[in-house]
Amino acid sequence: MTTTSSPAAATMDLPAATRPTIRSGPGRRPGRWREPLGAAGWRILGLAAFLIVWHLLALSIGSRAILPGPWEVATDFADSFVDDPGLRYLGVRSPGVATNLAWTVGLAVVAWAAGSALGAAVGLLSSRIQWIRNISEPLFFVFGAVPALVLAPFFLVWFGQGHLNKMVLVGFYCFVSVGLVAQSAAAAFPPSFEEYAATQGLNSRARFRYVIVPGTLPSVLSGLRIALATGIAVQATVELLGSQIGIGRLIALRAGQGDVSGVLGLSIALGLVAIFLDLVLRRGIRTLTRWQ
């Protein structure tokens, strides 16, 4: 004997989580109009809208000295990417934008790596060792609210006028940023996980290594993204105050000449490099936290 049933009745027999979605409209779902573009498409559309608005504003102002158009900025940037006779005339030893950009980002990344690693270690250890917490907690909160321009003169006196003072300053700010995030993550970590690990025979050192560190890793890695952007910004800012090389040095020279196009091109290039490094870091974070 063969039993027949309607598709609707068969759907109702399925568990709620496995039932197919019944569309109420003529083959369309809410928000389906967003799907053809996707995330990348919307980003490209947003960038195109920004460039169009910028171009229209530049046309309405009609003065290159106040607001040059995006095409003019891109042309000036491309012309000085490898070498710039004007900067060479001003005494810049490495007048190419590419060299100075690589110098600024390279120093910032090295200082970020050292400062962030130390900050993560101190922040996590402060959840276990009280004297580290007593010292680091006020340090993180006090210096986390002090602008880099306030501390820059002190680091210049203590570490000289070379590149060491800038690297130490960038590393210090990354240390404070990541340390504060790690300390907060360790303090907010649910104690029930550690109590359960204790019932399984893990001592304090093993619980820190196999419970606290992996459990707070996503928060610490997210803090690294904030510290990276902060490090690049601080490095360029302190170069504005005095440096022989670096993107901050070029921005200071261009600003002194009243070259708005040059300043815009250098600033946008620094921002794009920071976005690229953030994307690389996000991909690394996803790989490290894939177990989640």
Side-chain angles (χ1 to χ4, degrees):
M1 180 179 180
T2 303
T3 304
T4 59
S5 59
S6 64
T11 301
M12 295 302 295
D13 293 337
L14 294 174
T18 60
R19 290 175 190 168
T21 303
I22 300 177
R23 299 173 181 174
S24 58
R28 297 184 65 84
R29 289 180 300 174
R32 188 177 177 83
W33 56 277
R34 298 190 184 95
E35 293 180 0
L37 285 178
W42 282 106
R43 289 169 183 162
I44 295 173
L45 184 61
L47 178 61
F50 170 73
L51 293 177
I52 291 173
V53 171
W54 179 5
H55 179 69
L56 293 176
L57 281 176
L59 286 179
S60 63
I61 293 175
S63 174
R64 176 186 171 90
I66 298 176
L67 181 63
W71 178 253
E72 295 171 326
V73 172
T75 303
D76 290 346
F77 181 80
D79 291 341
S80 59
F81 187 74
V82 178
D83 193 9
D84 190 327
L87 293 175
R88 188 181 296 279
Y89 176 77
L90 294 175
V92 180
R93 289 180 299 179
S94 302
V97 172
T99 304
N100 290 272
L101 189 60
W103 177 270
T104 298
V105 175
L107 288 186
V109 169
V110 171
W112 162 79
S116 298
L118 184 60
V122 172
L124 293 178
L125 286 174
S126 66
S127 66
R128 281 290 178 275
I129 305 175
Q130 186 61 38
W131 68 266
I132 293 181
R133 185 179 184 85
N134 292 337
I135 295 175
S136 62
E137 192 170 42
L139 182 71
F140 290 153
F141 281 100
V142 170
F143 287 100
V146 177
L149 292 177
V150 175
L151 292 181
F154 296 99
F155 281 75
L156 181 63
V157 173
W158 295 336
F159 299 100
Q161 298 183 352
H163 307 297
L164 180 62
N165 73 85
K166 301 175 183 60
M167 291 189 66
V168 174
L169 181 61
V170 172
F172 177 75
Y173 265 90
C174 294
F175 164 77
V176 171
S177 299
V178 177
L180 187 59
V181 172
Q183 189 177 73
S184 301
F189 191 74
S192 57
F193 291 97
E194 192 173 355
E195 291 170 0
Y196 176 77
T199 63
Q200 303 302 311
L202 273 68
N203 57 25
S204 177
R205 181 174 299 181
R207 293 198 301 271
F208 178 78
R209 181 177 178 182
Y210 297 111
V211 178
I212 297 295
V213 172
T216 57
L217 185 61
S219 298
V220 175
L221 292 178
S222 298
L224 293 181
R225 294 180 57 196
I226 301 173
L228 179 60
T230 302
I232 293 175
V234 171
Q235 175 70 30
T237 300
V238 294
E239 287 175 353
L240 288 170
L241 302 178
S243 178
Q244 296 300 318
I245 190 172
I247 207 73
R249 160 78 166 165
L250 298 190
I251 290 176
L253 290 174
R254 293 301 193 194
Q257 295 174 325
D259 187 355
V260 178
S261 177
V263 174
L264 283 175
L266 294 171
S267 302
I268 292 174
L270 186 63
L272 291 178
V273 171
I275 292 174
F276 172 76
L277 292 178
D278 182 68
L279 291 176
V280 173
L281 186 59
R282 287 173 59 186
R283 180 60 60 90
I285 290 174
R286 288 178 184 174
T287 302
L288 290 175
T289 59
R290 190 168 45 190
W291 52 271
Q292 280 193 316

